[in-house]
Amino acid sequence: MKVNRFTLIVISAFSVGVLYALGKSPKKFNPLGKKAIFVGDSHTAGFGWGWQDALAKKYGFTIQQNLSKGGYRTDQLLPILQDYLKTAKGAEILFIYAGANDNFSLVQNQKATQNVQKMVDAGRNAGIDNIYVISGYRSSKVIYDLKRYGDYIEKSDAYKEGLAKNIKNAVVVPIWEEADYKMSTDSLHLIQSAQKKFADYIGAQIFKETK
């Protein structure tokens, strides 16, 4: 059976759409020379030494703006991103790593996920094609202060697992399973050496390997 060119284009577009809807990348690409925006909480606020800087250095792209704010929830980060995108030009990549502070508060995982989806939608509306939602590390492996954070761990991991199921039109980077309690000194944030490993993990998931 012959299939005309228009039909092939429609099938291809549909397939790519399904992959994005499932949070899976249809292909890896080379970000060399591109500009990226990062938005998140303290997990992405290691300015100059965090995973985002290690990732940019390894793959040769520029951080146009890091909008991350320590202690901010997704509902606080959303308008910051939306306002920035109104005037920002040239960015081709958007990284979103948020939700930890929602998990610590009374915000339900569903609401935090909806806010992340709105961030994705804002990026799409601004013409950014390469959008990545970072799930982060598995909380139960890194957070060793159970007396203080015990109630948080289950909610946090459930939120991270739900991102891949619920976020549309973006690539969701799966939970980093290799992180452990030795990679943190405060039971929450990754130390600099671990940030580099985290960057390597993320890059391997979404980018073409550098030579």
Side-chain angles (χ1 to χ4, degrees):
M1 180 180 68
K2 293 184 177 181
V3 181
N4 61 42
R5 185 171 181 270
F6 175 77
T7 301
L8 288 173
I9 293 174
V10 171
I11 292 174
S12 177
F14 175 76
S15 299
V16 170
V18 169
L19 286 169
Y20 271 118
L22 292 174
K24 298 178 181 178
S25 175
K27 64 178 180 179
K28 296 180 180 181
F29 86 111
N30 184 356
L32 182 65
K34 309 296 184 183
K35 295 180 181 179
I37 299 169
F38 289 79
V39 61
D41 47 43
S42 57
H43 291 294
T44 315
F47 301 100
W49 61 271
W51 65 270
Q52 70 283 346
D53 296 280
L55 191 67
K57 181 178 180 180
K58 180 174 182 177
Y59 289 92
F61 65 88
T62 301
I63 298 178
Q64 176 171 297
Q65 191 69 35
N66 186 347
L67 300 170
S68 300
K69 302 286 185 179
Y72 276 42
R73 301 183 306 270
T74 56
D75 63 315
Q76 296 171 302
L77 293 167
L78 174 60
I80 292 175
L81 175 63
Q82 291 173 324
D83 288 344
Y84 180 77
L85 291 174
K86 290 178 182 178
T87 57
K89 304 295 181 182
E92 298 179 61
I93 312 170
L94 171 62
F95 289 93
I96 303 167
Y97 183 12
N101 295 299
D102 299 69
N103 298 155
F104 268 119
S105 68
L106 297 177
V107 177
Q108 297 298 313
N109 285 349
Q110 180 181 6
K111 183 61 178 178
T113 303
Q114 289 173 350
N115 288 333
V116 171
Q117 183 64 60
K118 290 178 181 178
M119 294 183 205
V120 171
D121 296 341
R124 288 284 172 197
N125 292 336
I128 300 176
D129 293 328
N130 304 291
I131 302 179
Y132 302 98
V133 174
I134 309 301
S135 299
Y137 58 75
R138 179 150 315 264
S139 298
S140 59
K141 292 184 176 181
V142 173
I143 301 175
Y144 51 84
D145 191 345
L146 299 182
K147 183 177 181 180
R148 185 176 182 182
Y149 300 118
D151 293 338
Y152 163 80
I153 295 174
E154 184 177 353
K155 182 181 180 183
S156 176
D157 280 342
Y159 165 74
K160 294 172 182 178
E161 291 169 354
L163 290 173
K165 301 175 184 177
N166 297 304
I167 295 298
K168 312 299 180 185
N169 299 317
V171 175
V172 178
V173 177
I175 296 174
W176 186 32
E177 301 287 358
E178 300 304 314
D180 60 34
Y181 71 94
K182 297 178 183 178
M183 297 183 179
S184 176
T185 57
D186 65 357
S187 198
L188 290 174
H189 301 93
L190 300 176
I191 58 178
Q192 186 170 358
S193 59
Q195 296 271 344
K196 172 65 167 55
K197 293 178 180 179
F198 187 38
D200 290 341
Y201 165 75
I202 292 172
Q205 297 290 315
I206 62 177
F207 293 146
K208 291 180 179 179
E209 285 300 314
T210 57
K211 296 181 179 180

